[in-house]
C-alpha cells in the first residue's frame, strides 16, 4: 500500500521557486509525482546526462533534462493567475 502525498499545485499552474539554487524564478508545472511529492517545473533545475555510444557508428551525446524538485520548495504564483 503506497502512501500518496497531498500536493498543493496542479499541472499547468504557474509557480514561484522559494528556496534553493533557482530561488525567485517562475515556471509552469508540467508533471507531478504524488508518490514522492516531487514536481517538474518547465525551465527550472536542468541536469545533464552523458550518454556513451553503444556501437562504433554511434556518437556520444549530452542530454539535458529537467529534474524534479520537492513541492514544498514552490508556491503558487497568484499574480500570473489573475
Amino acid at each position: 500500500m503506497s502512501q500518496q502525498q497531498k500536493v498543493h499545485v496542479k499541472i499547468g499552474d504557474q509557480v514561484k521557486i522559494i528556496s534553493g539554487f533557482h530561488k525567485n524564478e517562475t515556471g509552469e508545472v508540467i508533471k507531478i509525482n504524488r508518490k514522492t511529492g516531487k514536481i517538474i517545473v518547465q525551465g527550472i533545475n536542468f541536469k545533464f546526462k552523458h550518454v556513451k555510444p553503444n556501437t562504433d557508428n554511434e556518437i556520444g551525446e549530452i542530454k539535458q533534462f529537467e529534474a524534479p524538485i520537492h513541492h514544498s520548495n514552490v508556491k503558487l504564483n497568484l499574480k500570473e493567475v489573475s
Side-chain angles (χ1 to χ4, degrees):
M1 191 164 52
S2 63
Q3 293 283 345
Q4 289 192 352
Q5 294 187 12
K6 185 174 181 183
V7 182
H8 67 284
V9 293
K10 295 178 181 171
I11 294 176
D13 285 348
Q14 290 291 325
V15 293
K16 183 175 183 179
I17 311 299
I18 59 174
S19 67
F21 184 76
H22 297 281
K23 187 174 182 177
N24 294 328
E25 294 183 21
T26 59
E28 182 180 343
V29 177
I30 56 175
K31 191 173 183 182
I32 298 174
N33 187 347
R34 294 189 190 278
K35 193 171 186 179
T36 61
K38 296 193 175 198
I39 63 173
I40 297 179
V41 182
Q42 187 173 10
I44 304 292
N45 199 21
F46 279 109
K47 300 292 180 189
F48 296 95
K49 183 171 181 92
H50 298 263
V51 180
K52 285 189 173 183
N54 291 334
T55 61
D56 289 336
N57 54 355
E58 277 188 21
I59 59 170
E61 59 182 319
I62 300 173
K63 290 189 176 182
Q64 185 178 10
F65 63 97
E66 292 144 339
I69 57 174
H70 199 262
H71 70 91
S72 65
N73 293 336
V74 301
K75 72 174 184 179
L76 193 60
N77 196 358
L78 296 176
K79 292 180 181 176
E80 295 194 18
V81 173
S82 299

